[in-house]
């Protein structure tokens, strides 16, 4: 069922969710969303971690498709890529819709059982 909802992109969503599990990586995404593009050095200045740690986190985000790096001279400028986030959001929305449907089914079954146990005029 999960594969059907994802259209075969389960691994992509898995890597996005794995990358988003780390608070530092989420901060990096927030900074890139705010700044547009930035170097690892610039990003490290805004975080309580070393530049080397930022580079490692950016590599995880890049592997998940959440950022892209573009070499400009001696620097690599990173930018946010929204498509993988959109795919993960679609998966979560489909999951939420499944649960909403299931809960509505449970509610209907409970209401039907309640009505069957208390026919009109028996109170």
């Amino acid at each position: 069922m999960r594969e059907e909802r994802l259209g075969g992109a389960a691994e992509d969503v898995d890597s996005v969710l794995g990358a988003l599990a780390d608070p530092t990586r989420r901060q990096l995404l927030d900074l890139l969303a705010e700044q547009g593009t930035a170097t690892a050095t610039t990003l490290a200045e805004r975080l309580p971690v070393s530049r080397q740690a930022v580079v490692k986190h950016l590599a995880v985000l890049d592997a998940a498709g959440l950022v892209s790096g573009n070499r400009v001279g001696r620097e690599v400028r990173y930018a946010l890529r929204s498509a993988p986030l959109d795919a993960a959001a679609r998966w979560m929305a489909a999951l939420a819709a499944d649960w909403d449907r299931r809960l509505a089914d449970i509610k209907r079954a409970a209401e039907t059982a309640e009505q069957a146990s208390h026919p009109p005029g028996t109170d």
Side-chain angles (χ1 to χ4, degrees), residues 11-27:
E11 296 82 17
D12 294 341
V13 171
D14 289 348
S15 65
V16 168
L17 295 177
L20 294 176
D22 185 274
T24 300
R25 290 193 283 270
R26 291 192 306 271
Q27 284 181 298

Side-chain angles (χ1 to χ4, degrees), residues 63-118:
L66 292 167
V67 300
S68 60
N70 182 32
R71 184 165 291 283
V72 178
R74 293 180 359 168
E75 296 181 328
V76 177
R77 299 198 61 80
Y78 292 90
L80 183 63
R81 294 185 62 231
S82 63
L85 287 173
D86 294 341
R90 283 192 306 276
W91 173 78
M92 287 186 271
L95 184 64
D98 284 350
W99 276 105
D100 288 345
R101 182 188 46 75
R102 290 175 185 171
L103 290 172
D105 290 347
I106 291 169
K107 180 182 178 191
R108 275 192 298 279
E111 289 170 347
T112 300
E114 178 69 21
Q115 289 172 354
S117 67
H118 295 93

Side-chain angles (χ1 to χ4, degrees), residues 45-63:
E45 291 170 358
R46 308 257 323 259
L47 295 171
V49 296
S50 68
R51 181 189 175 286
Q52 290 78 13
V54 167
V55 169
K56 288 180 181 180
H57 284 296
L58 287 167
V60 173
L61 293 169
D62 187 29

